Amino acid sequence: MKLLLIPILHGITTLALGEEAGPLKIWREKVLPIVPQQYLCHYTATPLVVDGKIDEAAWAAAPWTADFQDIEGDAKPKPTFRTRAKMLWDDQYFYIAAEMEEPHVWGTLIKHDEVIFADPDFEVFLDPDGDTHEYYEFEMNALNTGWDLFLPKPYKDGGKAQNEWEIPGLKTAVQVRGTLNNPSDKDQGWDVELAIPWKVLAEFAHCPAPPVEGDQWRAGFSRVEWQIEIKDGKYVKIPKTPENNWVWSPQGVIDMHRPESWGYVQFTKLAPGAVEFKPDPAAKVRYALMEVYYAQVEYFKKHSRWSLDFKELGVTPSTTEGTGDWTLRATPDGYECSVAWPFPSGGKAQRWSIQQDSHLQQMK
């Protein structure tokens, strides 16, 4: 298999696999019922030493995320080994740490920007402004080999990974609790620690980086785990056995490249206990527009064109929570669906839109 195809296959979606269930049914029944995870990320006044140990006082005070689940959520069994993460930030870096239980820690890849998920790995996905486009991905294995890449849009919408994109100033470290690549013993696991410079994340953030008080970013964390056996004193993948994808915030389908379903990270400089996580007030309008998007994908697969009729799409725009001011118009590239949506805080309704490439945004 050509290396160029591997990132696409790793990010492939049920939407592209031709399942019996159409994209709209998959969205409604598999994706929509899963509530994205939430995390309150606290500020640290003392810069962290990135050594993979996760033992500093600031880390001790930071809460763990919920334990990772299968990427499909409750539809699949609980992961065999525990995975969890923590986050912190200061004026220079966004810090991420993860703890992974693993009785056999192994890795083979040592070249930067290799396809790291061919080994067991830990992956980070960040969409600063939550528009499902222009997001960052970073993968690393137990040998502390990394792969940084930028996606202008998801693979399912024709996005192509920009492997030449780099993270200058990135700090990473791995701590193996056991012995690496030694099948003769049992290990406890491996931990990772990252410091990602805000200066780099600001490039395509379209929002403050570092963030301001209360800002929320969309984030996904994934652990790829391969089933292995020991042959001739070496770890060997079990043939024709797909990888396990264990994630912080499940996607509902086997595809990490669904930014609309990633978790929320809220940044604060206030002391623990002095602030609470605030649910996204735009969540309902996001979901309403994503439903139109998946209905359009399904319609296009059948008719090779986009529809400008909600009834034809099988979607009934909400008039109870939206203003009823829905529009669906043709554009040179496809279509744009938009709606004015009132928010609990009152004031003028915000107008939101989605396009054929899943670009979801508040209109100016």
Side-chain angles (χ1 to χ4, degrees), residues 104 180-185 229-236:
H104 293 288
L180 182 65
N181 290 326
N182 184 1
S184 67
D185 66 1
E229 55 189 349
I230 299 173
K231 286 187 176 181
D232 300 323
K234 295 181 179 181
Y235 294 122
V236 179

Side-chain angles (χ1 to χ4, degrees), residues 146-163:
W147 180 21
D148 38 19
L149 55 159
F150 171 76
L151 275 294
K153 56 185 175 181
Y155 291 125
K156 64 181 174 57
D157 298 302
K160 296 182 180 180
Q162 296 181 8
N163 292 323

Side-chain angles (χ1 to χ4, degrees), residues 250-286:
Q251 305 295 102
V253 293
I254 305 174
D255 180 11
M256 273 305 298
H257 294 267
R258 303 252 181 147
E260 68 272 12
S261 299
W262 292 347
Y264 286 89
V265 179
Q266 179 175 315
F267 297 93
T268 182
K269 287 189 175 183
L270 300 179
V275 62
E276 295 183 353
F277 186 93
K278 295 182 178 180
D280 179 9
K284 289 183 179 180
V285 66
R286 291 178 185 275

Side-chain angles (χ1 to χ4, degrees), residues 323 340-343 345-351 362:
T323 65
W341 202 271
F343 288 86
S345 57
K348 185 178 179 181
Q350 296 177 359
R351 192 160 199 92
Q362 180 184 346

